[in-house]
Amino acid sequence: MSAFAFVLVITAALAHAAWNVIAHGVSKAGTPFLWWGAVGSTVVWIGVIPFTGGLGTDDLWGFALGVAVSGVLHVLYMAVLQRGYREGNLSTVYATARGTGPFLSVIVAVLLLGERPSLLALVGVAAIIVGVVAIGLVDRGRGGGARRRLDPGLVFGLLTGVAIAAYTIWDANAVRTWSLSPVAFMVGTTLLEIPFYTAGVRTRWPAVRVLWTTQWRRIVAFSILSPLSYILVLTAIQIAPVALVAPLREVSVVLVSLFGVFVLRESRPGWRIAASAVVAAGIVLLAL
């Protein structure tokens, strides 16, 4: 991986961690928050398109197909993730999704996109995935009592991971095949999400208005940082293998975890720091 691509992905991870910290708690508002996120992201970034190469291509059909499929995949991803958080343990869903998504992305990138990461890079990928899953499992409940035969959190976590891999591979293929501008692609995707979320809040407009009144600063921060983090990832994908970019972007999980240790004073700091060290080792291997 080139130094420039490495910096892009690390910066993307910083932006991703920042908006997660800022929006902590607001995302529990559910669909009204997702609606504001899609609308805010579109409004904030649409004015940037003329200064970042326009659409990046003259193939309007390619652009339309790319953003249409991506928009649907992102909505499905959010729907499965939200369902998982309702049905299962938060840490189980999060850990499974963030570990499964990059793992599947690597497999598909090697098998379908013909990417051939070095053995050293694949060891780094494995270290990052293991560390991310370990961080996610820190707070997994240990309570006794009867357990279901199949943990729904595990099922929906796996489904979420599949969704992450699907939109990652599709988006990478789209921006490469049709030479699409990452900014225009991101704006097109968020614009397409608005009708889906509008249908979801059709009976909750008072809640939508209240959320803006009380949390507009966080919504604005999300609208700037969330698209920025993925725009940087899409830019990196154009010059670096998906098999390396997808796991490396999960550094954001480590950053949020360290924020929890040193700022929020969360439990089991030793475990969190050790798992973060494993991820850091994987990052070093990717950088090499």
Side-chain angles (χ1 to χ4, degrees):
M1 178 182 288
S2 70
F4 180 58
F6 185 85
V7 170
L8 283 175
V9 182
I10 293 298
T11 305
L14 287 169
H16 191 275
W19 76 251
N20 271 277
V21 170
I22 292 172
H24 178 67
V26 184
S27 57
K28 295 179 181 178
T31 307
F33 176 73
L34 297 178
W35 186 88
W36 275 119
V39 171
S41 298
T42 302
V43 171
V44 168
W45 285 94
I46 195 169
V48 182
I49 293 178
F51 305 99
T52 52
L55 300 183
T57 180
D58 294 328
D59 189 349
L60 297 181
W61 285 110
F63 178 82
L65 177 61
V67 299
V69 174
S70 180
V72 171
L73 290 176
H74 277 83
V75 170
L76 289 175
Y77 153 71
M78 290 304 304
V80 175
L81 180 63
Q82 295 287 323
R83 176 66 183 274
Y85 285 160
R86 289 197 302 269
E87 298 289 338
N89 183 281
L90 173 64
S91 63
T92 301
V93 176
Y94 188 77
T96 307
R98 302 319 299 186
T100 303
F103 173 75
L104 293 177
S105 297
V106 172
I107 298 300
V108 175
V110 170
L111 296 180
L112 298 186
L113 300 185
E115 297 183 356
R116 294 294 181 268
S118 68
L119 178 60
L120 188 64
L122 289 177
V123 173
V125 165
I128 290 175
I129 292 173
V130 169
V132 167
V133 172
I135 290 172
L137 293 178
V138 170
D139 295 320
R140 185 171 181 178
R142 298 180 178 179
R147 291 185 179 271
R148 300 180 184 181
R149 181 172 300 176
L150 189 60
D151 186 350
L154 181 62
V155 173
F156 283 102
L158 289 171
L159 291 175
T160 303
V162 171
I164 292 173
Y167 77 65
T168 298
I169 294 298
W170 173 261
D171 292 353
N173 185 65
V175 296
R176 288 175 176 176
T177 301
W178 293 299
S179 300
L180 306 180
S181 163
V183 174
F185 184 82
M186 187 72 248
V187 171
T189 299
T190 56
L191 180 63
L192 191 69
E193 293 173 5
I194 294 175
F196 289 96
Y197 295 138
T198 298
V201 297
R202 63 186 182 278
T203 60
R204 303 179 62 187
W205 290 113
V208 172
R209 290 191 291 270
V210 169
L211 186 63
W212 172 259
T213 301
T214 58
Q215 302 292 344
W216 68 268
R217 292 180 181 84
R218 296 192 179 194
I219 292 172
V220 170
F222 174 90
S223 301
I224 296 172
L225 294 173
S226 178
L228 174 62
S229 66
Y230 200 53
I231 287 169
L232 294 174
V233 167
L234 292 176
T235 303
I237 282 174
Q238 293 177 316
I239 58 177
V242 179
L244 303 186
V245 173
L248 185 57
R249 64 181 296 219
E250 300 303 333
V251 173
S252 60
V253 178
V254 177
L255 298 174
V256 173
S257 178
L258 293 178
F259 178 84
V261 169
F262 294 107
V263 178
L264 302 182
R265 305 295 182 184
E266 292 178 344
S267 63
R268 303 183 71 185
W271 179 293
R272 298 178 195 274
I273 294 174
S276 299
V278 172
V279 176
I283 294 171
V284 171
L285 292 176
L286 286 187
L288 295 176

